[in-house]
Amino acid sequence: MSTPALLDEVARYYQGRLARFGPTPAGVDWRDEVSQTIRFDQLLRVIAEPSASVVDLGCGYGALLTHLRRRGFTGGYRGVDIAPAMIAAAVAGAAAGPDGTRPDVVFEQGEAPSAAADYAVASGIFNVRLGHEEAAWQDYVAATIAVLDRAGRRGFAFNCLTAYADPERMRGDLFYADPCRYFDLCRRRYSRHVALLHDYGLW
């Protein structure tokens, strides 16, 4: 899959954000809770029923689990993250119960889940490219989408920053994906049923 050096650098970046901002949207590099919530709601459109199980790849401090429960989702949850500090924060958080464990909730460190679920989602994990070459990052994105496909038995969803963003607002350390490229990738490799959502106001 991805090179260890690439993943180690990404893990260090996010652990630095967590150390600075704590288990908050800023701690996983989102602007605020509103934009984080909007993205969560778009990802969850892939899930057909509230009792379905979910793999959350790049789970951070477990914010999606809290969001799922608030929205009435009752299925099992498996959160996966490459950053050890994120997993520690997720386990310690209220989302995993007062003792850090719940029978229907698992947090684990790694690049991929140890077991599949009905659906797999990934929020924000492709955005922070740091200093890596575009081609290397695209390989990482494609390899991770393959992980999502294996992790979600019934479907998967992910988000990216768009290459159609306003040029004056684009940053050199971020990855802006061509939406058509990834629609085509998913259509050719994974399913005849692919939705591209480019209409919810976050670029």
Side-chain angles (χ1 to χ4, degrees):
M1 196 184 147
S2 308
T3 65
L6 183 152
L7 291 176
D8 287 347
E9 188 171 352
V10 171
R12 286 195 300 272
Y13 174 84
Y14 280 104
Q15 292 190 146
R17 296 289 298 186
L18 181 66
R20 182 177 177 186
F21 296 105
T24 65
V28 288
D29 225 9
W30 290 124
R31 182 177 68 236
D32 51 40
E33 187 173 354
V34 171
S35 60
Q36 184 186 52
T37 297
I38 290 171
R39 289 178 171 93
F40 284 167
D41 283 336
Q42 299 302 316
L43 289 171
L44 297 182
R45 289 172 61 173
V46 75
I47 301 177
E49 63 285 317
S51 61
S53 58
V54 177
V55 162
D56 180 9
L57 190 63
C59 65
Y61 61 91
L64 179 62
L65 175 59
T66 301
H67 186 79
L68 283 164
R69 297 308 189 230
R70 287 174 179 166
R71 293 297 189 273
F73 286 82
T74 59
Y77 170 93
R78 182 176 299 271
V80 185
D81 204 284
I82 59 173
M86 287 293 182
I87 294 298
V91 170
D99 61 352
T101 61
R102 278 171 39 172
D104 60 342
V105 173
V106 175
F107 288 106
E108 56 190 18
Q109 183 189 349
E111 300 178 49
S114 60
D118 293 322
Y119 298 94
V121 299
S123 182
I125 66 173
F126 300 135
N127 296 349
V128 182
R129 183 166 57 92
L130 302 173
H132 296 283
E133 295 293 330
E134 185 94 356
W137 198 258
Q138 288 176 348
D139 289 345
Y140 158 64
V141 173
T144 305
I145 293 172
V147 171
L148 288 168
D149 176 62
R150 294 192 295 271
R153 291 183 294 261
R154 300 178 61 185
F156 65 87
F158 63 92
N159 54 31
C160 293
L161 299 172
T162 176
Y164 293 100
D166 300 329
E168 67 274 11
R169 301 181 66 180
M170 297 170 78
R171 287 168 37 190
D173 62 329
L174 300 181
F175 175 66
Y176 297 88
D178 178 350
C180 300
R181 175 192 182 103
Y182 291 102
F183 179 93
D184 182 67
L185 173 72
C186 291
R187 172 62 183 81
R188 285 186 295 104
R189 291 190 183 178
Y190 302 119
S191 178
R192 298 177 62 184
H193 307 286
V194 182
L196 170 61
L197 308 180
H198 203 273
D199 62 349
Y200 54 95
L202 299 176
W203 294 92

